C-alpha cells in the first residue's frame, strides 16, 4: 500500500492507513532511571501529540499512563498493568508511544501486549520503530525493533560495568556514604569525574566521643541516643534518622573508625567449573 503523500514531509512513511480524527487515545511513556530527566515523560507525550496533530487527529483529550524510573525488563509495572487491563476492556481505539522499548524490552512481552490489542481492534503505533498494527508487516517491524533495543541494552550494560570496574580500581566512592564522611568531586569543574570520600572534620569529635563512651562501659542504646541527639547522619541509604544499637555496633566494629586504615575491597566470584570461591582484595577509599 502506498503511504499517504502528505505524511512524507514529517518522515513517517510507515503510516499507510489513515488515522481517524476522533478516537479514544492512550499515550504510554516510561523512563528507566531516576537520574534521567524528570521531564522525559512530558517530552515523550509532546512528541506523540505532534505526530498525531500532523495526522490531523484530535489530541484535545488523551489518556496518559506512565512508569517513571522503572526498567522495561520488568513485566509488571503499575502503568503497564493498567495498559493491559484497558486492552482487555477495549478501553481505547489507539495506543501510541515513542517506541516499543517504552512498553517492554523483549519481543515476547511485547507480543503479549500487541496480540490482544490487535484482537480487540486496538491500533498501536510506535513512532520511532515504524511499527503500526494497521499494517500487515507490524510483527516483523516489532521484532526488528526489539532486537535493536535489546542490542543497545546489552552493550550499555557492559559499558556501565566497565566504568564501575575502573572507578573501583582507583578507589573512588562506590557505595553509600558512611557516617562522619563527606563525598567530594575529584574535579569540581567536571561533575562526571569520580567522587571520593574523606573525613568530615565537623564530626570528628562526635565519633571520638562515641568510642570514649563505649570504652567507659556505656550501653549501645545510650550511645545510639547520643548520636541521635547530635544528629550525626547515618549511611546515606538509611531510611530513618534515629540511631539504633545495631548501627552503633556496626560503627565501632568498622576498621576505618578504629584507625585501622583502609578497608580492603573484595571481589567474590564463583568459578562455574569447580564451584570454588575466589576472593580478590583491593584497597578501599
Amino acid at each position: 500500500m502506498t503511504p499517504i503523500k502528505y505524511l512524507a514531509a514529517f518522515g513517517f512513511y510507515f503510516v499507510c492507513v489513515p488515522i481517524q480524527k476522533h478516537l479514544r487515545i492512550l499515550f504510554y511513556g516510561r523512563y528507566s532511571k531516576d537520574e534521567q530527566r524528570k521531564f522525559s515523560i512530558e517530552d515523550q507525550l509532546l512528541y506523540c501529540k505532534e505526530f498525531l496533530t500532523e495526522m490531523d487527529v484530535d489530541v484535545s483529550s488523551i489518556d496518559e499512563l506512565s512508569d517513571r524510573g522503572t526498567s522495561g525488563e520488568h513485566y509488571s509495572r503499575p502503568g503497564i498493568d493498567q495498559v493491559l487491563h484497558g486492552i482487555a476492556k477495549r478501553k481505547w481505539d489507539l495506543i501510541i508511544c515513542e517506541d516499543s522499548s517504552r512498553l517492554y524490552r523483549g519481543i515476547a512481552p511485547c507480543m503479549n501486549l500487541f496480540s490482544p490489542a490487535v484482537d480487540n481492534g486496538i491500533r498501536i503505533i510506535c513512532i520511532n520503530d515504524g511499527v503500526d498494527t494497521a499494517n500487515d508487516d507490524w510483527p516483523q517491524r516489532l521484532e526488528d525493533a526489539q532486537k535493536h533495543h535489546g542490542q543497545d541494552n546489552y552493550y550499555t550494560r557492559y559499558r556501565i560495568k566497565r566504568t564501575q570496574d575502573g572507578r573501583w580500581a582507583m578507589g573512588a566512592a562506590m557505595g553509600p556514604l558512611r557516617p562522619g564522611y563527606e563525598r567530594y568531586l575529584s574535579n569540581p569543574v567536571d561533575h562526571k569525574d569520580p567522587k571520593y570520600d574523606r573525613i568530615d572534620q565537623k564530626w570528628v569529635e562526635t565519633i571520638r566521643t562515641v568510642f570514649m563512651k563505649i570504652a567507659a562501659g556505656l550501653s549501645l542504646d545510650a550511645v545510639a541516643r547520643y548520636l541521635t541527639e547530635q544528629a550525626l547522619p547515618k549511611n546515606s541509604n538509611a531510611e530513618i534518622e534515629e540511631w539504633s544499637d545495631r548501627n552503633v555496633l556496626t560503627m565501632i566494629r568498622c576498621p576505618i573508625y578504629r584507625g585501622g586504615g583502609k578497608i580492603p575491597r573484595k571481589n567474590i566470584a564463583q568459578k562455574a567449573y569447580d564451584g570454588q570461591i575466589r576472593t580478590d582484595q583491593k584497597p578501599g577509599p
Side-chain angles (χ1 to χ4, degrees):
M1 184 179 297
T2 304
I4 303 171
K5 290 183 179 180
Y6 74 85
L7 297 181
F10 203 69
F12 299 108
Y13 296 98
F14 69 95
V15 178
C16 301
V17 180
I19 305 176
Q20 297 178 32
K21 184 171 184 177
H22 300 288
L23 295 171
R24 298 172 301 166
I25 302 172
L26 168 68
F27 157 79
Y28 176 81
R30 181 188 62 79
Y31 64 86
S32 299
K33 300 287 185 69
D34 289 329
E35 304 86 53
Q36 290 179 332
R37 293 182 66 252
K38 64 181 181 179
F39 297 114
S40 177
I41 300 294
E42 289 71 19
D43 292 343
Q44 293 172 42
L45 174 60
L46 178 61
Y47 181 63
C48 290
K49 281 186 174 181
E50 289 176 347
F51 171 86
L52 292 173
T53 300
E54 186 71 16
M55 308 292 178
D56 196 30
V57 176
D58 181 9
V59 295
S60 59
S61 178
I62 296 181
D63 290 343
E64 301 173 23
L65 289 173
S66 63
D67 288 299
R68 298 172 184 265
T70 307
S71 171
E73 295 178 349
H74 294 163
Y75 184 81
S76 179
R77 293 166 259 136
I80 204 68
D81 289 346
Q82 293 182 64
V83 175
L84 294 169
H85 181 74
I87 288 174
K89 297 292 184 180
R90 300 185 179 183
K91 190 174 180 180
W92 307 288
D93 302 307
L94 172 66
I95 297 175
I96 189 166
C97 58
E98 183 180 44
D99 60 60
S100 62
S101 71
R102 301 297 180 181
L103 297 167
Y104 285 109
R105 282 191 175 273
I107 185 60
C110 269
M111 289 301 295
N112 288 337
L113 184 148
F114 274 69
S115 294
V118 173
D119 291 343
N120 286 341
I122 301 173
R123 185 173 182 176
I124 300 180
I125 293 178
C126 304
I127 303 174
N128 293 345
D129 292 338
V131 174
D132 181 354
T133 57
N135 299 329
D136 293 338
D137 65 347
W138 72 263
Q140 184 60 53
R141 284 179 177 265
L142 178 61
E143 183 175 357
D144 291 343
Q146 281 296 311
K147 285 181 180 178
H148 173 74
H149 295 308
Q151 188 177 47
D152 284 350
N153 204 34
Y154 177 84
Y155 287 110
T156 298
R157 183 185 301 121
Y158 277 93
R159 286 195 296 269
I160 292 173
K161 183 180 184 300
R162 178 199 64 211
T163 300
Q164 290 178 336
D165 287 347
R167 295 190 175 188
W168 178 279
M170 68 176 64
M174 295 291 291
L177 182 64
R178 292 178 179 274
Y181 281 77
E182 61 181 355
R183 188 157 290 176
Y184 67 97
L185 282 166
S186 58
N187 180 8
V189 178
D190 190 348
H191 290 268
K192 293 183 179 180
D193 274 13
K195 295 181 180 179
Y196 293 84
D197 292 347
R198 64 188 173 194
I199 294 174
D200 189 340
Q201 294 300 321
K202 70 181 180 183
W203 296 112
V204 169
E205 289 304 318
T206 300
I207 294 176
R208 185 173 293 156
T209 301
V210 167
F211 282 86
M212 293 175 63
K213 288 179 179 293
I214 294 294
L218 205 64
S219 69
L220 294 175
D221 285 335
V223 175
R225 289 194 295 272
Y226 165 75
L227 288 174
T228 300
E229 292 170 359
Q230 295 297 311
L232 174 67
K234 293 165 62 177
N235 279 8
S236 58
N237 63 344
E239 295 182 358
I240 58 175
E241 297 179 359
E242 292 78 11
W243 282 77
S244 68
D245 56 349
R246 185 177 294 273
N247 298 147
V248 176
L249 188 60
T250 299
M251 172 184 283
I252 63 176
R253 285 179 173 176
C254 182
I256 63 172
Y257 292 109
R258 301 202 308 267
K262 299 179 179 179
I263 299 178
R265 292 185 170 186
K266 296 181 179 180
N267 285 345
I268 301 177
Q270 186 170 6
K271 297 179 181 179
Y273 58 86
D274 60 8
Q276 297 297 313
I277 300 297
R278 183 186 72 256
T279 301
D280 299 323
Q281 291 193 349
K282 296 183 178 180

